């Protein structure tokens, strides 16, 4: 098959294509188990295979994909024809940033392939979790296990040839109960990534059982709690909400395709402008953010992106100043040309597609916040006059340019005079992105830092779901509007 | 076309029987085309042809499933999917209720939503459509974005219980065109849902865009003070709100899981404005309705709200099985929701702007990134986007920076409803995550609601 694909790459080059790449997925497997209130409602296996071809012709992209591999040349021809038509409406002819031709491979670090683990063992895990969650106060409970294994062969007309073998696991448990006012409340546990691997071995049963006990206990406190207060106050975001705050208002805001207007018809743009790089005070000096695709245990690490650019660790925000973006080969060239100066020194290796039948676009890798020097959670609370500790992503809604946001959390704890007090329910907060990050007054140390995964980040047209990660510490923001 | 698909399903059915399986076999085929625009260029032109198969095997209370994106030339690899079910089934855990195994009692072939001319739409026609809708409106600063998504979707089912099968074929198009200012970052849009080629109306979209661009270029931009406003919702806002309300509030599953803002005893109660009628109507071809659900139940008009009275919950088969309810033919990939029009003839944005008004009105065509803040209260939040206008009582028009609305469904569709357009439009809410699943609602062109709270107002575009 590889030889057939190479022949097709050569043929399209000969027909005038500037660049061609092919992503062949010989096989992608997934396995999803879902136990709700003791019932194994989903016990699903799936597989897919196919080919996606991207062609750059006269400054425009064409793409075609099919699961029918009986005639691969037809897929190449359709992609070429799509590019030919697209080239009839070009305003800025697409150029690709330089890169080396790479012949290499990437295997995600795993000790135990989850597909080698028997179904009985997986079901037994969920049954244990179900039993642990089946406690007084819990009226609904569920556990999920999702496993993905994909083999991707990438070839391009510049001589790159990369094979990737990636395994991911996504476990979680959830407990729900009815509060004193009749509202449904929820606590959940998605484990932070620890260790250097991401196979079946990363699912630690002891850890899950301890956290099942914790979330049931917290849920029962929420069920009898009063509503969170309204007004302006400090919020201390635990990892279970800080990862999403980072995702929505740093990650998406700094995708270069959004900044350049390539997502305006769907996901939206960004308040960031090209002239902001190197100058914009995004946050306080305590804020340093990076796109680190080298975290070993996260789905945001993939070896090489779908432009065949190697994974990297790049600063995005350095002590509060905006310095970088999430980029691929096409967008950095256009950004530099539009800015009439070199803002970006090559691709940051973040162009990814969710499957063989989608085209790569700028996606987050691991968008992390560096740990700070403000100590542990207890230290941060001790230095807080009045506010809320918040955890759990209940809902999120963000402005189309990522300029403002509204989050609801699963649980809050009141903080008064440096002391953590009672639990409160239905906490929400909102803000404008730049004032919010400039009110960052405390960043927890390494002990508070954890990598969380996101398995369902949506973007693009046609829409794509992507998996990635966020390594974040506990952070405190002051003067935040709470309770709307 | 249906013969090829049904032949394949019959072969797979026989293979399942030969392997001793009691199985439901579902087929999904999409031929998808998407031309995407950004910065006044075609940023991507793509097509995908994908065939997916879903097998569900039943053994008493045990149930396992296998899904695959299949190569149609490899029947052997498809049959291997059945082998995997044979391997999985002994390890499944029995449910504590009896799952229904589908028994199709007749053949169903439903191609009412299929239009061969839309299926055959060419790249050149998609480009010409966009060139027409944007003609004369682009500039150095005002750039065109958008999508023209169209395609054909085939779904079909068979089970090992009988030789009868179900086959559905539809065509759809979803157009979204955005004009935006690169310097100021305002953005306006016009959208269209189509089921047949003759639905496509590039001139109509051009008129809407031209009107909005004129206002955004010429009228004063304002940061509205937070507070309560009389709001007119456009079809995008109404469709998204109705769709989310029905999904979160009016399904039996959400009710039993405790997530609905409605309770079982609310059935029959007047909870909404008497102007509101909402029905799931499988007769509405233009919103891709289907005659039967996945379990072979014939779909009939299913009133959800009648003159403000909440009527009943929709029960899919699995929820009905688990909670011992009667299924309501809602094991479908999408409902076909229709909200009746009202009494006022306000058919276009121009009509709305020219209406005499006794108070200031905030026109919110679109609510961006809507999410449910509190499901049991039915509270949602989202921000205005794509062409909001502030229609002053004195007849003037201002352009408001985007605002955030955090309100309950009952605020939008309750007693605060003032008037609704007589005219209805189909609004396409399809997402292209995963498989093609054309989904649209038919809603009034405009709904006016008083006392909607703006909780945040942007200081700029």
């Amino acid at each position: 098959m590889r030889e057939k694909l190479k022949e097709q790459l050569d043929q399209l080059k000969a027909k005038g294509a500037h660049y061609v790449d092919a992503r062949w997925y010989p096989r992608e497997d997934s396995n999803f188990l879902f136990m709700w209130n003791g019932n194994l409602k989903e016990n699903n296996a799936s597989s897919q295979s196919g080919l996606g071809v991207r062609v750059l012709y006269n400054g425009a992209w064409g793409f075609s994909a099919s699961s029918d591999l009986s005639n691969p040349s037809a897929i190449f021809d359709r992609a070429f024809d799509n590019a030919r038509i697209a080239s009839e409406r070009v305003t800025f002819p697409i150029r690709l940033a330089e890169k080396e031709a790479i012949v290499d491979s990437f295997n995600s670090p795993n000790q135990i392939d989850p597909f080698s683990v028997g179904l009985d063992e997986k079901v037994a895990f969920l049954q244990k979790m179900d039993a642990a969650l089946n406690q007084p106060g819990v009226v609904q409970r569920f556990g999920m296990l999702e496993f993905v294994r994909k083999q991707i062969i990438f070839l391009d007309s510049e001589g790159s040839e990369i094979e990737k073998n990636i395994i991911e696991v996504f476990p979680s448990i959830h407990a729900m109960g009815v509060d004193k006012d009749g509202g449904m409340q929820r606590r959940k546990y998605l484990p932070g990534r620890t260790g250097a691997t991401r196979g079946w071995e990363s699912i630690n049963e002891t850890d899950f059982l301890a956290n099942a006990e914790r979330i049931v206990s917290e849920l029962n406190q929420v069920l009898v709690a009063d509503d969170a207060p309204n007004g302006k106050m400090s919020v201390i975001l635990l990892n279970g909400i800080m990862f999403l705050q980072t995702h929505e208002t740093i990650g998406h805001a700094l995708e270069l395709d959004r900044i350049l207007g390539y997502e305006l018809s769907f996901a939206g743009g960004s308040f960031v402008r090209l002239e902001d790089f190197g100058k914009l005070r995004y946050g306080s000096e305590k804020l340093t953010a990076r796109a680190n695709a080298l975290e070993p245990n996260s789905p945001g690490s993939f070896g090489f992106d779908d432009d065949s650019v190697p994974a990297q660790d790049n600063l995005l925000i350095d002590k509060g100043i905006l310095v970088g973006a999430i980029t691929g080969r096409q967008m950095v060239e256009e950004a530099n040309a539009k800015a009439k100066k070199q803002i970006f020194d090559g691709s940051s290796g973040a162009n990814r597609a969710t499957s063989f039948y989608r085209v790569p676009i700028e996606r987050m890798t691991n968008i992390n916040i560096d740990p700070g020097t403000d100590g542990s959670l207890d230290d941060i609370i001790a230095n807080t006059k009045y506010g809320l500790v918040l955890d759990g992503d209940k809902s999120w809604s963000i402005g189309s340019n990522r300029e403002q946001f509204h989050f609801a959390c699963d649980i809050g704890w009141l903080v008064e005079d440096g002391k953590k007090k009672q639990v409160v329910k239905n906490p929400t907060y909102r803000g404008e992105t730049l004032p919010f990050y400039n009110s960052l007054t405390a960043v927890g140390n390494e002990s508070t830092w954890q990598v969380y995964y996101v398995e369902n980040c949506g973007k693009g047209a046609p829409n794509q779901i992507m998996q990635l990660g966020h390594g974040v510490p506990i952070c405190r923001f002051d003067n935040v509007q709470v309770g709307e | 076309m249906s013969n090829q698909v049904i032949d394949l399903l019959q072969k797979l059915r026989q293979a399942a029987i030969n392997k001793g399986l009691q199985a439901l076999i579902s087929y999904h085929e999409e031929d998808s085309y998407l031309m995407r625009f950004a910065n006044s260029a075609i940023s991507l032109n793509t097509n995908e042809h994908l065939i997916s198969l879903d097998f569900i095997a039943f053994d008493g209370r045990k149930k396992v499933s296998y899904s695959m994106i299949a190569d149609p030339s490899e029947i052997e690899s498809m049959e291997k999917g059945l082998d995997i079910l044979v391997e999985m089934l002994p390890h499944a855990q029995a449910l504590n209720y009896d799952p229904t195994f589908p028994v199709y009692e007749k053949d169903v072939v439903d191609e009412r939503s299929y239009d061969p001319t839309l299926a055959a739409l060419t790249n050149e026609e998609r480009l010409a459509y966009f060139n027409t809708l944007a003609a004369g409106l682009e500039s150095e600063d005002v750039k065109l974005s958008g999508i023209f998504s169209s395609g054909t979707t085939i779904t079909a089912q068979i089970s090992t219980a009988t030789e009868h099968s179900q086959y559905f074929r539809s065509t759809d198009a979803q157009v979204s065109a955005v004009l935006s200012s690169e310097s100021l970052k305002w953005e306006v849009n016009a959208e269209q849902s189509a089921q047949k080629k003759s639905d496509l109306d590039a001139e109509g979209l051009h008129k809407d865009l031209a009107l909005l661009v004129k206002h955004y270029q010429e009228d004063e931009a304002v940061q509205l003070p937070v507070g309560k406003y009389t709001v007119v919702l456009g079809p995008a806002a109404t469709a998204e709100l109705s769709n989310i309300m029905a999904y979160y509030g009016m399904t039996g599953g959400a009710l039993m899981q405790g997530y609905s803002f409605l309770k079982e005893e609310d059935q029959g109660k007047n909870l909404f404005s008497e102007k509101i009628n909402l029905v799931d109507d499988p007769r509405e071809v233009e919103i891709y309705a289907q005659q039967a659900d996945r379990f072979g139940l014939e779909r009939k008009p299913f009133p959800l709200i009648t003159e403000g009275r909440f009527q009943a919950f929709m029960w899919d088969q699995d929820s009905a099985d688990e909670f011992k309810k009667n299924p309501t033919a809602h094991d479908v990939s999408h409902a076909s929701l229709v909200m009746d029009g009202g009494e006022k003839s306000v058919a276009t944005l121009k009509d709305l702007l020219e209406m005499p008004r006794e108070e200031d009105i905030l026109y919110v065509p679109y609510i961006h990134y809507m999410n449910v803040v509190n499901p049991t209260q039915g509270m949602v939040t989202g921000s205005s986007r794509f062409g909001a206008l502030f229609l002053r009582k004195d007849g003037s028009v201002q352009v408001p920076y985007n605002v955030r609305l955090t309100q309950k469904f009952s605020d939008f569709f309750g007693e605060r409803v003032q008037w609704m357009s007589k005219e209805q439009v189909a609004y396409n809410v399809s997402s292209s995550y995963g498989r093609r699943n054309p989904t649209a609602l038919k809603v009034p062109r405009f709904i006016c609601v008083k006392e909607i709270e703006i909780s945040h107002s942007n200081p700029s575009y």
Side-chain angles (χ1 to χ4, degrees):
Chain A
M1 183 69 171
R2 289 187 195 219
E3 291 311 311
K4 276 189 195 172
L5 296 177
K6 284 179 186 172
E7 283 172 23
Q8 293 298 322
L9 295 174
D10 291 341
Q11 284 184 20
L12 285 200
K13 280 286 282 182
K15 281 172 75 174
H18 177 74
Y19 168 88
V20 189
D21 65 32
R23 276 178 298 110
W24 170 41
Y25 283 50
R27 193 168 174 97
E28 175 174 344
D29 296 305
S30 66
N31 180 199
F32 179 64
L33 293 98
F34 176 65
M35 185 172 284
W36 183 290
N37 291 344
N39 277 310
L40 189 62
K41 302 276 265 185
E42 291 286 342
N43 185 354
N44 177 262
S46 68
S47 68
Q48 60 184 41
S49 63
L51 174 67
V53 175
R54 188 171 62 147
V55 176
L56 182 58
Y57 174 79
N58 273 357
W61 283 124
F63 179 77
S64 185
S66 180
S67 56
D68 183 352
L69 299 184
S70 59
N71 182 15
S73 66
I75 305 171
F76 281 82
D77 290 343
R78 279 196 297 273
F80 184 82
D81 195 50
N82 286 340
R84 187 182 53 74
I85 290 289
S87 70
E88 292 181 19
R89 205 183 215 275
V90 169
T91 48
F92 182 89
I94 292 165
R95 301 196 305 255
L96 300 177
E98 292 296 318
K99 68 153 177 76
E100 306 257 321
I102 293 173
V103 179
D104 208 335
S105 63
F106 172 78
N107 295 298
S108 60
N110 311 283
Q111 290 171 6
I112 303 171
D113 179 349
F115 291 85
S116 71
V117 176
L119 195 52
D120 291 340
E121 192 174 342
K122 293 170 183 170
V123 173
F125 174 84
L126 287 176
Q127 287 171 330
K128 278 184 191 165
M129 294 307 122
D130 185 74
L133 294 174
N134 191 10
Q135 303 297 329
V138 177
V139 298
Q140 305 282 338
R141 59 193 192 276
F142 63 88
M144 291 191 285
L145 290 173
E146 184 174 9
F147 310 103
V148 179
R149 178 176 63 190
K150 53 177 96 174
Q151 180 189 15
I152 306 168
I153 312 291
F154 174 93
L155 298 141
D156 72 20
S157 57
E158 296 174 343
S160 287
E161 183 173 346
I162 293 169
E163 177 171 344
K164 293 192 280 192
N165 290 282
I166 293 175
I167 288 175
E168 306 289 359
V169 302
F170 301 108
S172 64
I173 53 174
H174 308 242
M176 278 90 53
V178 179
D179 68 33
K180 62 181 183 177
D181 300 315
M184 182 61 81
Q185 300 291 343
R186 179 191 72 174
R187 287 296 282 141
K188 64 179 177 179
Y189 177 60
L190 285 75
R193 295 296 174 98
T194 54
T197 63
R198 48 175 135 152
W200 172 259
E201 72 283 354
S202 66
I203 301 176
N204 181 324
E205 188 176 298
T206 306
D207 172 66
F208 261 87
L209 288 171
N211 279 286
E213 188 177 344
R214 175 181 62 82
I215 65 173
V216 168
S217 168
E218 290 177 356
L219 176 69
N220 274 296
Q221 293 172 66
V222 172
L223 299 186
V224 296
D226 292 331
D227 281 331
N230 289 359
K232 294 215 167 180
M233 63 192 74
S234 298
V235 293
I236 299 169
L237 303 186
L238 302 187
N239 308 86
I241 184 67
M242 187 61 209
F243 85 98
L244 190 62
Q245 179 74 51
T246 305
H247 178 92
E248 301 291 0
T249 56
I250 293 178
H252 279 306
L254 297 185
E255 291 162 342
L256 192 52
D257 56 346
R258 287 185 71 123
I259 292 169
L260 290 173
Y262 280 86
E263 280 284 320
L264 282 187
S265 60
F266 178 57
S270 173
F271 66 89
V272 171
R273 296 170 185 268
L274 291 178
E275 57 268 32
D276 291 334
F277 287 93
K279 290 190 290 196
L280 178 69
R281 176 153 287 286
Y282 206 104
S284 75
E285 288 201 352
K286 290 179 179 288
L287 179 65
T288 292
R290 64 184 64 246
N292 181 1
L294 304 175
E295 298 287 352
N297 52 16
S298 169
S301 302
F302 37 80
F304 305 88
D305 75 355
D306 291 326
D307 282 339
S308 77
V309 174
Q312 302 164 30
D313 177 7
N314 294 309
L315 273 177
L316 298 172
I317 299 168
D318 187 14
K319 296 185 177 65
I321 302 297
L322 177 66
V323 295
I326 296 161
T327 67
R329 295 180 70 194
Q330 174 190 348
M331 296 300 159
V332 294
E333 284 291 300
E334 183 170 334
N336 288 339
K338 283 191 169 168
K340 298 186 173 64
K341 63 177 181 179
Q342 185 150 327
I343 304 174
F344 302 104
D345 183 18
S347 165
S348 70
N351 216 30
R352 288 197 286 160
T354 189
S355 63
F356 72 85
Y357 54 86
R358 290 289 185 262
V359 72
I361 53 177
E362 267 79 358
R363 300 308 302 239
M364 291 178 229
T365 56
N366 301 294
I367 306 305
N368 299 348
I369 306 285
D370 282 1
T373 56
D374 296 301
S376 65
L377 172 61
D378 288 344
D379 295 330
I380 293 173
I381 290 171
N383 290 313
T384 302
K385 180 76 178 161
Y386 179 65
L388 289 175
V389 175
L390 299 173
D391 197 24
D393 54 327
K394 187 175 183 181
S395 89
W396 52 97
S397 173
I398 300 90
S400 58
N401 284 322
R402 302 281 149 168
E403 76 288 0
Q404 49 90 8
F405 56 84
H406 180 286
F407 289 94
C409 300
D410 290 334
I411 189 170
W413 290 265
L414 201 60
V415 175
E416 287 177 335
D417 296 325
K419 299 267 190 309
K420 189 175 170 185
K421 299 285 181 71
Q422 71 271 24
V423 164
V424 291
K425 72 177 193 293
N426 298 329
T428 64
Y429 68 100
R430 66 166 174 80
E432 293 175 9
T433 302
L434 290 183
F436 181 77
Y437 281 107
N438 276 283
S439 74
L440 174 64
T441 52
V443 177
N445 64 18
E446 195 77 44
S447 74
T448 74
W449 194 88
Q450 264 195 318
V451 177
Y452 271 55
Y453 69 80
V454 174
E455 65 171 318
N456 55 358
C457 173
K459 187 184 169 187
N463 305 149
Q464 303 191 40
I465 294 286
M466 186 52 78
Q467 295 75 45
L468 50 106
H470 296 290
V472 291
I474 291 169
C475 292
R476 185 186 64 204
F477 301 84
D478 290 340
N479 202 31
V480 176
Q481 180 65 49
V482 166
E484 287 180 352
Chain B
M1 189 58 169
S2 64
N3 286 342
Q4 286 175 16
V5 173
I6 292 166
D7 285 351
L8 173 64
L9 290 183
Q10 293 287 5
K11 280 182 194 162
L12 291 169
R13 173 179 178 270
Q14 193 54 53
I17 291 170
N18 294 344
K19 293 173 195 296
L21 285 172
Q22 189 182 30
L24 164 64
I25 301 165
S26 302
Y27 177 95
H28 180 280
E29 179 176 353
E30 66 175 284
D31 195 16
S32 295
Y33 298 84
L34 189 138
M35 189 174 278
R36 191 173 193 194
F37 296 80
N39 294 312
S40 289
I42 298 175
S43 59
L44 175 66
N45 191 21
T46 174
N47 74 279
E48 300 93 36
H49 180 235
L50 302 169
I51 292 171
S52 305
L53 289 166
D54 297 309
F55 305 121
I56 305 176
F58 296 72
D59 180 12
R61 290 188 163 188
K62 289 183 175 181
K63 199 168 75 165
V64 295
S65 60
Y66 182 75
S67 308
M68 65 191 305
I69 293 181
D71 185 335
S73 62
E74 291 192 6
I75 185 82
E76 296 81 9
S77 71
M78 297 182 198
E79 291 185 7
K80 279 182 188 162
L82 295 167
D83 292 332
I84 290 172
L85 291 181
V86 172
E87 290 169 20
M88 289 171 70
L89 207 46
H91 303 284
Q93 177 196 267
L95 298 164
N96 66 6
Y97 58 91
D98 295 316
T100 295
F101 178 62
V103 179
Y104 302 114
E105 292 176 346
K106 61 177 182 180
D107 291 324
V108 173
V109 176
D110 182 359
E111 298 184 280
R112 293 172 300 154
S113 296
Y114 179 73
D115 173 40
T117 61
L118 184 57
L121 203 69
T122 64
N123 272 324
E124 287 79 2
E125 287 172 305
R126 280 182 274 274
L127 176 55
Y129 180 101
F130 255 77
N131 285 337
T132 300
L133 70 83
L137 299 176
E138 297 164 272
S139 68
E140 272 299 298
D141 184 56
V142 177
K143 297 288 172 61
L144 174 70
S145 300
I147 59 161
F148 193 125
S149 169
S150 62
T152 301
T153 308
I154 296 170
T155 57
Q157 296 96 32
I158 198 167
S159 85
T160 51
T162 71
E163 290 187 345
H164 295 299
S165 60
Q166 304 196 127
Y167 175 92
F168 307 93
R169 181 161 65 156
S170 62
T171 45
D172 69 284
Q174 178 184 28
V175 179
S176 174
V178 177
L179 286 167
S180 58
S181 163
E182 203 168 48
S183 59
L184 296 174
K185 292 201 178 233
W186 55 253
E187 45 189 5
V188 301
N189 85 343
E191 297 182 89
Q192 174 156 42
S193 179
Q195 174 269 316
K196 53 189 184 301
K197 188 176 178 182
S198 59
D199 292 336
L200 295 171
D201 177 17
E203 292 287 351
L205 266 65
H206 180 270
K207 280 182 193 161
D208 286 350
L209 285 170
L211 184 60
L212 282 167
V213 167
K214 182 174 183 296
H215 282 289
Y216 268 67
Q217 287 182 323
E218 296 178 3
D219 293 335
E220 179 191 13
V222 291
Q223 179 182 19
L224 294 179
V226 296
K228 290 188 174 175
Y229 290 80
T230 295
V231 167
V232 169
L233 301 172
T238 301
E240 291 283 1
L241 280 166
S242 305
N243 203 32
I244 291 178
M245 177 174 74
Y247 178 78
Y248 273 94
M250 298 177 177
T251 62
L255 170 73
M256 300 311 290
Q257 291 157 15
Y259 275 105
S260 174
F261 66 97
L262 297 167
K263 299 180 176 60
E264 200 145 20
E265 57 269 29
D266 287 336
Q267 293 174 108
K269 286 185 182 171
N270 284 308
L271 301 175
F272 302 94
S273 164
E274 63 181 17
K275 296 181 173 64
I276 301 287
N277 290 286
L278 184 66
V279 61
D280 175 26
D281 194 342
R283 297 169 303 184
E284 292 281 355
V285 171
E286 72 174 310
I287 53 173
Y288 320 116
Q290 294 192 349
Q291 284 176 354
D293 84 347
R294 199 162 59 113
F295 281 73
L297 295 178
E298 184 181 356
R299 281 175 46 74
K300 296 174 182 165
F302 187 85
L304 292 164
I305 302 171
T306 305
E307 294 179 350
R309 180 171 295 147
F310 173 58
Q311 296 287 3
F313 292 94
M314 299 176 279
W315 289 93
D316 64 77
Q317 188 67 54
D318 185 64
S319 298
D321 289 343
E322 181 173 4
F323 300 109
K324 299 190 171 27
K325 301 285 184 181
N326 291 321
T328 54
H330 280 98
D331 221 290
V332 286
S333 55
H334 59 269
S336 302
L337 297 178
V338 177
M339 185 177 281
D340 283 358
E343 292 184 353
K344 206 164 191 148
S345 182
V346 193
T348 66
L349 180 57
K350 186 166 176 285
D351 292 345
L352 178 68
L353 288 164
E354 290 174 351
M355 263 178 63
R357 40 190 183 260
E358 295 168 354
E359 59 183 333
D360 295 340
I361 288 174
L362 174 60
Y363 169 56
V364 177
Y366 186 100
I367 301 178
H368 176 76
Y369 216 130
M370 199 185 304
N371 208 334
V372 180
V373 177
N374 189 324
T376 39
Q377 292 177 5
M379 180 174 285
V380 292
T381 190
S383 302
S384 63
R385 192 182 176 195
F386 288 143
L389 296 171
F390 191 49
L391 314 181
R392 304 302 303 262
K393 184 179 171 183
D394 64 8
S396 65
V397 177
Q398 294 176 319
V399 176
Y401 300 135
N402 285 334
V403 297
R404 177 168 291 283
L405 305 87
T406 305
Q407 297 276 259
K408 295 178 180 176
F409 293 120
S410 55
D411 297 327
F412 288 112
F413 297 127
E415 287 310 313
R416 300 181 194 176
V417 174
Q418 298 296 286
W419 55 262
M420 299 161 70
S421 289
K422 188 191 299 181
E423 298 79 8
Q424 294 167 284
V425 293
Y427 184 80
N428 199 312
V429 294
S430 304
S431 83
S432 48
Y433 293 116
R435 297 173 184 179
R436 189 169 200 88
N437 175 25
T439 309
L441 293 85
K442 198 167 171 182
V443 294
R445 182 68 176 83
F446 300 107
I447 296 182
C448 179
V449 191
K450 67 179 181 181
E451 293 183 13
I452 293 295
E453 178 118 16
I454 302 306
S455 60
H456 175 263
S457 182
N458 277 4
S460 69
Y461 290 118

